[in-house]
Amino acid sequence: MTQIPRLLTEPDLAAMRKRMVIWVAVLVILMSSLLVEWYMERDVITGNQGPFPAALGTEAPAAPAQVSRQSYRPEALVHGLSIVPTDSGVRALNLRTGKEYWRYERRDEGADMPSVEVSAGTVVAWFDDGKLVGIDLRTGNVRWRTEFSRGGFQDIHMGAGQVVAQTPGGVAAFSKRSGKKLWTLRLPRSCKYPWGVHDLPDHLTAVDLGCESSDGQNDVVIGVDNRTGAELWKRTVRQELYKTDNHTLVAVSPNTTSERRERARVQVLDVDRKGAKLRAEFSSDSWAPDDAGDGIIISGANPESPESARASVLTGYDTQVGKRAWERQAPAGNSFGFAKCADGRVYVVQNSLFFEGGESRVLHADLLVLDAHSGDLLHRLRLPDMTVPRDFFLTDLTVREAGNGVIRVGWPEALHDELFVT
């Protein structure tokens, strides 16, 4: 076919179209960059202020001696930092100086105080409007952002390199490094929310779900392959599940009823990718687990008054053999707060009782360090006297966290005012 020659004064339409495409592409890139910059400028990202602070210790202190009173309540202590949610974000404080190390806050409409979870290198903040933000612990810089529809239960878990959260579509897992969604587990129709998530060897994650049943409230535990989200097995239990080591979960048998004086039948389960099989079973008159670890589960309860919020007896159960290992009775006029297990030890506050209607609400308390396997007293520290606020229902000081060289002590209902014990 003969090509018609183009006159010198005639415009080159093909070249014009090519140039137009290039200009449009450049304009799109510029607009995208401006949009990203605008989005980034909506958030306050200070970055790290100074060198990364070293941890106060590698484990919980065996013989704590120093007490400092803090005006704030952190979400977690990690390395040498205290991680504290704010009204619209999260900040990290230097544990030694109390100074701000970094801060991240949202400025856009819809920002509120997030749920916060922390691992060795990442802080994740989940906001009520569905935005999930991953922050580098050392630098305070945002690694990733993701979002989904509003409606998830604001509780998150970090482990096995993943962030696990409830979304409107079920339980979803995201990469801790990139925020990419890895898998989703659809909830059974009768299950409304997850109680807990436990990471186990061989790419196994146990998701503990609160579900309704014909005889009241039951839990359903689902074993999930945490690479694909595939369901491996399912088991019904009565109450929230506890992990005592990498192959052991503890829960109350689902065959019990909710009658007040019934003895709880506690099941010790061997767990792997094939299922959760019964290893041992024991009974307890007042089963109220506080914490678990190192093959021991701790229950603090009041056998004389099971409905009481105060614990007068602390019991340690050996989950290797499924038997009670030890029991500790609070002295007359005293009660135990919630206990924590760490590094083969149990940390618990022994609180003095006071007359609720009296004028004085001064609390005298001792921090006890017990051997987790024998219950023997290893160390005792008198805490500063503290006045219990009048609007608190739970008046016993409790151990919130033990690790990284620090023990956190405070009231269950307090949003501020804690003791750091080192």
Side-chain angles (χ1 to χ4, degrees):
M1 180 176 180
T2 304
Q3 185 176 8
I4 300 174
R6 181 177 59 87
L7 298 177
L8 292 178
T9 58
E10 184 179 346
D12 187 343
L13 296 179
M16 290 177 63
R17 282 196 295 269
K18 185 175 181 180
R19 285 195 295 270
M20 181 64 70
V21 169
I22 293 174
W23 277 110
V24 169
V26 170
L27 184 60
V28 168
I29 292 172
L30 287 174
M31 292 297 293
S32 299
S33 299
L34 290 173
L35 183 62
V36 170
E37 184 178 353
W38 171 80
Y39 187 89
M40 294 292 288
E41 288 179 350
R42 291 192 306 169
D43 296 344
V44 175
I45 304 174
T46 65
N48 59 298
Q49 309 297 306
F52 186 64
L56 300 183
T58 57
E59 59 180 34
Q66 303 294 324
V67 182
S68 61
R69 193 162 182 171
Q70 307 294 332
S71 60
Y72 63 91
R73 174 180 172 179
E75 188 65 32
L77 306 179
V78 58
H79 292 295
L81 296 175
S82 179
I83 308 302
V84 186
T86 71
D87 289 340
S88 59
V90 60
R91 61 180 183 150
L93 305 179
N94 188 313
L95 264 177
R96 290 178 173 83
T97 65
K99 294 183 179 179
E100 186 173 278
Y101 177 66
W102 57 254
R103 177 164 49 100
Y104 166 79
E105 289 185 334
R106 288 174 52 186
R107 286 179 172 172
D108 58 316
E109 185 178 354
D112 60 351
M113 181 178 289
S115 294
V116 175
E117 186 67 19
V118 182
S119 72
T122 305
V123 178
V124 174
W126 186 7
F127 296 88
D128 187 53
D129 62 358
K131 289 183 173 63
L132 196 64
V133 181
I135 304 167
D136 186 277
L137 177 71
R138 288 178 173 267
T139 66
N141 293 327
V142 174
R143 284 180 176 171
W144 50 264
R145 294 177 177 84
T146 189
E147 58 183 286
F148 39 83
S149 301
R150 181 191 300 267
F153 182 71
Q154 254 186 290
D155 196 13
I156 49 181
H157 164 83
M158 290 178 68
Q162 300 179 355
V163 181
V164 181
Q166 183 185 357
T167 70
V171 176
F174 304 83
S175 167
K176 189 177 74 172
R177 294 293 302 177
S178 67
K180 178 184 177 182
K181 183 182 282 191
L182 301 175
W183 51 265
T184 298
L185 174 68
R186 295 287 178 182
L187 300 184
R189 183 170 298 178
S190 62
C191 302
K192 304 299 182 184
Y193 45 81
W195 276 122
V197 178
H198 305 280
D199 298 305
L200 300 156
D202 301 322
H203 302 289
L204 173 63
T205 292
V207 180
D208 183 11
L209 304 171
C211 308
E212 298 175 352
S213 65
S214 58
D215 62 343
Q217 185 78 16
N218 267 333
D219 283 13
V220 171
V221 185
I222 299 178
V224 179
D225 186 315
N226 58 30
R227 295 166 298 184
T228 64
E231 181 179 318
L232 301 175
W233 50 262
K234 185 184 298 182
R235 187 183 182 96
T236 302
V237 295
R238 169 62 63 179
Q239 292 179 358
E240 186 176 354
L241 209 65
Y242 283 80
K243 173 185 171 183
T244 63
D245 60 45
N246 281 334
H247 299 281
T248 308
L249 298 175
V250 179
V252 175
S253 166
N255 298 322
T256 61
T257 66
S258 57
E259 294 176 7
R260 176 176 298 178
R261 290 292 181 178
E262 182 190 11
R263 303 190 78 196
R265 293 195 299 116
V266 183
Q267 296 183 330
V268 181
L269 305 174
D270 276 320
V271 182
D272 57 23
R273 289 178 63 87
K274 295 180 180 179
K277 300 176 183 178
L278 182 65
R279 177 199 301 166
E281 189 174 69
F282 59 87
S283 296
S284 174
D285 290 323
S286 49
W287 181 247
D290 287 355
D291 199 17
D294 299 303
I296 294 289
I297 187 165
I298 305 300
S299 176
N302 189 341
E304 301 301 322
S305 304
E307 70 281 357
S308 172
R310 286 195 165 109
S312 59
V313 176
L314 200 66
T315 307
Y317 295 89
D318 187 335
T319 59
Q320 294 301 314
V321 295
K323 293 183 179 180
R324 184 176 64 185
W326 53 266
E327 185 175 277
R328 188 176 190 87
Q329 179 82 39
N334 289 263
S335 60
F336 295 120
F338 295 110
K340 280 289 182 184
C341 295
D343 307 305
R345 297 180 287 272
V346 175
Y347 296 84
V348 65
V349 178
Q350 182 176 291
N351 299 270
S352 65
L353 304 180
F354 54 83
F355 178 56
E356 290 290 347
E359 289 297 323
S360 175
R361 293 177 64 88
V362 176
L363 182 69
H364 310 291
D366 294 295
L367 175 64
L368 308 183
V369 183
L370 311 176
D371 183 278
H373 293 272
S374 68
D376 293 340
L377 179 65
L378 303 177
H379 184 73
R380 179 192 297 264
L381 175 67
R382 171 54 62 94
L383 298 175
D385 290 346
M386 299 181 71
T387 301
V388 183
R390 292 194 173 276
D391 57 342
F392 282 7
F393 172 70
L394 301 175
T395 58
D396 283 345
L397 286 171
T398 187
V399 177
R400 295 191 191 277
E401 184 179 357
N404 291 288
V406 185
I407 301 163
R408 289 174 50 210
V409 174
W411 284 294
E413 299 171 71
L415 298 179
H416 307 283
D417 200 10
E418 286 203 337
L419 300 178
F420 285 6
V421 189
T422 58

